[in-house]
Amino acid sequence: PSCRRYVAGGRCKSTARLEGKVVIITGANTGIGKETARDLAQRGKVIIACRDIAKAEAAASEIRAETGNQQVIVKKLDLADTKSIREFAEKFLAEEKELHILINNAGVMLCPYSKTADGFEMHLGVNHLGHFLLTFLLLERLKQCAPARIVNVSSLAHHGGRIRFHDLHGEKCYNRGLAYCHSKLANVLFTRELARRLQGKVTANALHPGSVYSELVRHSFVMTWLWKIFSFFLKTPCEGAQTSIYCAVAEELDSVTGQYFSDCQPAYVSPRGRDDEVAKKLWSVSCELLGIQWD
């Protein structure tokens, strides 16, 4: 019915091939990450970077069987641990000579208060800082293989976020819904500042996948229950993956950078998501927290 079509939203119509190209997708063992991997595996080589290797292998073998593409490879990556991120990058750079598309898709949502291995609040640590570090470690390879793209999966939830520099790790005040919103705003600001610094050598865009029926709400009983009741009004993971796929392959985005998309078209960014001063400050604070110099 037309209502269902409306919920499904935009579709990526690009038939672009990725022969000889290499894509990394984080968190691609389930949900929209898995559907993004399934689509891109019909076009080229895909590396699934996940914490849960057993789940990732199951997803990869399903995708290999379905697409006939044996170049769907699993590598271990735990974004809640900078040691794991560095090991992943080191191994990847040693084993793969090319990288054309990096999709920072993995994420946590509505976690009870907890910290990463490095003492970062979990949402900020995984959704923002983990991907910030991963992108930093892989950027030279992306530049060498340009034209290349970085795609950051953010969310409409960025509208509810703010960067609370005085309490980044939520030690004074924590609300798991807001913590998710803050981390998604960080994705938008990171994309903006990254695009400004790269000046088109490598493009960087962010996106909202839509409200998707996925495992992301597993930490909240109420949300899980609501998700079940309203599933008709939620996108399937395949529908939710369309904008990620679009940002990764659409030819018309070859030189588009620093933008935010939803339903395969440019979308409205909250005023906080357009604040260049906050974006610059978040960049330097992120570098400090991770102990890196990224100029």
Side-chain angles (χ1 to χ4, degrees):
S2 56
C3 164
R4 187 65 214 127
R5 267 204 306 281
Y6 174 76
V7 170
R11 286 197 79 78
C12 175
K13 298 185 174 74
S14 168
T15 54
R17 306 290 308 155
L18 298 173
E19 267 102 9
K21 295 198 170 176
V22 179
V23 183
I24 290 177
I25 309 176
T26 67
N29 57 352
T30 178
I32 64 173
K34 182 178 172 185
E35 295 308 320
T36 305
R38 193 191 304 273
D39 179 286
L40 298 184
Q42 291 165 12
R43 306 171 191 251
K45 180 171 183 171
V46 175
I47 289 164
I48 291 180
C50 289
R51 187 185 59 202
D52 186 331
I53 290 291
K55 257 189 172 179
E57 280 298 354
S61 63
E62 179 189 314
I63 292 169
R64 284 192 288 261
E66 195 177 305
T67 60
N69 180 2
Q70 294 313 300
Q71 299 268 279
V72 180
I73 295 159
V74 170
K75 291 190 193 293
K76 184 167 174 64
L77 169 67
D78 181 358
L79 287 157
D81 184 350
T82 58
K83 194 164 153 285
S84 168
I85 299 168
R86 289 179 179 281
E87 279 167 8
F88 168 85
E90 207 173 299
K91 246 180 121 167
F92 172 82
L93 294 170
E95 291 166 9
E96 301 285 343
K97 291 296 156 258
E98 311 222 318
L99 176 59
H100 303 85
I101 302 167
L102 170 62
I103 303 180
N104 290 319
N105 161 84
V108 294
M109 182 180 179
L110 304 174
C111 311
Y113 190 77
S114 54
K115 286 187 165 175
T116 68
D118 302 87
F120 308 141
E121 185 276 315
M122 192 60 74
H123 292 91
L124 187 81
V126 170
N127 299 355
H128 169 61
L129 292 168
H131 282 128
F132 187 95
L133 179 61
L134 180 67
T135 305
F136 167 74
L137 295 170
L138 298 176
L139 191 59
E140 276 316 304
R141 185 60 46 90
L142 282 160
K143 282 181 180 169
Q144 288 160 13
C145 298
R149 301 183 186 193
I150 296 163
V151 178
N152 294 324
V153 179
S154 177
S155 166
L156 187 65
H158 84 270
H159 286 275
R162 55 174 56 202
I163 306 300
R164 302 167 66 251
F165 290 109
H166 63 287
D167 187 24
L168 267 184
H169 303 295
E171 285 154 332
K172 299 189 182 98
C173 163
Y174 180 76
N175 170 299
R176 55 193 186 167
L178 288 176
Y180 177 70
C181 295
H182 303 332
S183 72
K184 293 288 119 180
L185 174 61
N187 293 155
V188 172
L189 291 167
F190 168 46
T191 305
R192 191 176 178 89
E193 180 63 9
L194 181 61
R196 189 186 71 78
R197 286 164 175 259
L198 290 172
Q199 295 179 322
K201 284 193 195 74
V202 174
T203 64
N205 291 299
L207 67 102
H208 166 55
S211 300
V212 180
Y213 192 68
S214 76
E215 288 178 24
L216 203 53
V217 294
R218 62 183 170 269
H219 291 294
S220 165
F221 171 73
V222 175
M223 286 293 281
T224 304
W225 184 72
L226 285 170
W227 245 222
K228 282 201 165 66
I229 294 175
F230 293 108
S231 61
F232 180 79
F233 299 102
L234 296 169
K235 292 186 178 190
T236 63
C238 177
E239 291 161 354
Q242 294 304 310
T243 308
S244 297
I245 297 162
Y246 174 75
C247 289
V249 304
E251 297 91 338
E252 64 266 34
L253 299 188
D254 275 345
S255 56
V256 173
T257 191
Q259 299 298 307
Y260 171 76
F261 294 86
S262 176
D263 278 329
C264 302
Q265 56 192 12
Y268 179 73
V269 176
S270 77
R272 288 201 188 105
R274 298 193 298 265
D275 189 326
D276 290 328
E277 288 318 298
V278 173
K280 289 187 178 80
K281 185 174 176 185
L282 177 64
W283 185 283
S284 65
V285 169
S286 301
C287 286
E288 256 169 67
L289 287 169
L290 293 162
I292 58 177
Q293 289 229 273
W294 188 353
D295 302 318

